[in-house]
Amino acid sequence: MTSALVVPGWLAVFAVLVLIALVVTVGWLVRELRRTRDRGEEVLASAAADVDELRDELDALQVRLLDEARQLEDARRTLQLSGVTVVDDREYRITALGERRGGGPLALMPTVPGPQFVDTMLRESLIRTASIAAGLRRALAPEVRNRIRFEMKREVKRSRKQRKTDLKQARREWEARQRAAVAASEVSG
């Protein structure tokens, strides 16, 4: 017995093909990760713009409310000096505060914070990669390969037996037709 390791040619070719497939898969995953990261940055930039818009709107509301409060206080002072009671009969609606006025990409859909989004995407891709690796490891296990080999041998034996049976049946039918043709020619001749 020699100490040299002999690797069948088909196994070496298969290993190279698997390696190429892994390199392509890793390249694809890197490209998808970059694309996802770019999308996440776009969403973060859009969210930052929306936050700035909301902050400006809130500042404008605050300034307007402070002006109205000053005007109301001035009117009360003047009316108190004259002895008149002030009744505020305006209706206030506070339910419109949460409504979005601008139309942006985030106006209609709920958003996930950027770091959480990237973390989720990385976890999903890692889980997919791990499940594919586990499936490949299981599919290439020696027990599975032996089972496949056994099933193939059994299928080959079954198909040979079926072919023999079909051939015998075809031969019987052909011989029966021959006998019928000979009997018909004897009857007519």
Side-chain angles (χ1 to χ4, degrees):
M1 184 167 186
T2 64
S3 64
L5 179 64
V6 178
V7 177
W10 65 269
L11 185 60
V13 170
F14 181 73
V16 168
L17 290 176
V18 167
L19 181 64
I20 289 171
L22 285 175
V23 167
V24 168
T25 303
V26 167
W28 177 77
L29 285 174
V30 166
R31 189 181 74 210
E32 288 297 318
L33 178 64
R34 284 183 186 148
R35 187 180 298 153
T36 302
R37 189 175 295 145
D38 291 343
R39 277 193 228 136
E41 290 172 0
E42 290 172 5
V43 168
L44 282 176
S46 177
D50 286 346
V51 167
D52 290 339
E53 284 180 20
L54 286 174
R55 188 173 289 130
D56 293 342
E57 188 178 333
L58 187 60
D59 290 341
L61 282 173
Q62 188 174 10
V63 167
R64 192 179 85 196
L65 285 175
L66 287 176
D67 286 343
E68 288 179 1
R70 274 191 226 118
Q71 290 173 359
L72 184 62
E73 190 61 36
D74 290 343
R76 278 190 185 159
R77 279 190 203 137
T78 21
L79 291 176
Q80 280 179 354
L81 293 175
S82 64
V84 176
T85 306
V86 177
V87 176
D88 187 12
D89 60 349
R90 290 186 295 174
E91 289 186 21
Y92 292 97
R93 184 174 144 199
I94 61 170
T95 58
L97 184 61
E99 294 177 4
R100 303 282 308 256
R101 290 203 177 123
L106 302 177
L108 299 175
M109 59 190 322
T111 58
V112 177
Q116 183 181 358
F117 177 76
V118 172
D119 182 48
T120 303
M121 290 304 296
L122 288 175
R123 284 185 187 181
E124 285 182 11
S125 61
L126 181 65
I127 289 170
R128 286 181 186 167
T129 305
S131 64
I132 288 171
L136 281 174
R137 185 177 61 234
R138 184 170 181 221
L140 297 176
E143 298 86 21
V144 174
R145 289 194 322 255
N146 287 338
R147 181 69 182 167
I148 291 171
R149 193 176 301 123
F150 171 76
E151 291 295 332
M152 288 296 295
K153 285 180 182 177
R154 194 163 83 175
E155 180 61 23
V156 166
K157 286 180 184 178
R158 189 201 61 77
S159 65
R160 283 183 188 157
K161 187 176 178 181
Q162 183 66 39
R163 266 187 267 134
K164 282 182 183 179
T165 305
D166 292 345
L167 183 62
K168 286 180 183 177
Q169 180 67 27
R171 186 174 288 146
R172 285 187 200 123
E173 289 175 4
W174 181 73
E175 289 172 352
R177 275 189 246 129
Q178 290 294 329
R179 284 192 297 262
V182 168
S185 65
E186 288 177 1
V187 170
S188 63

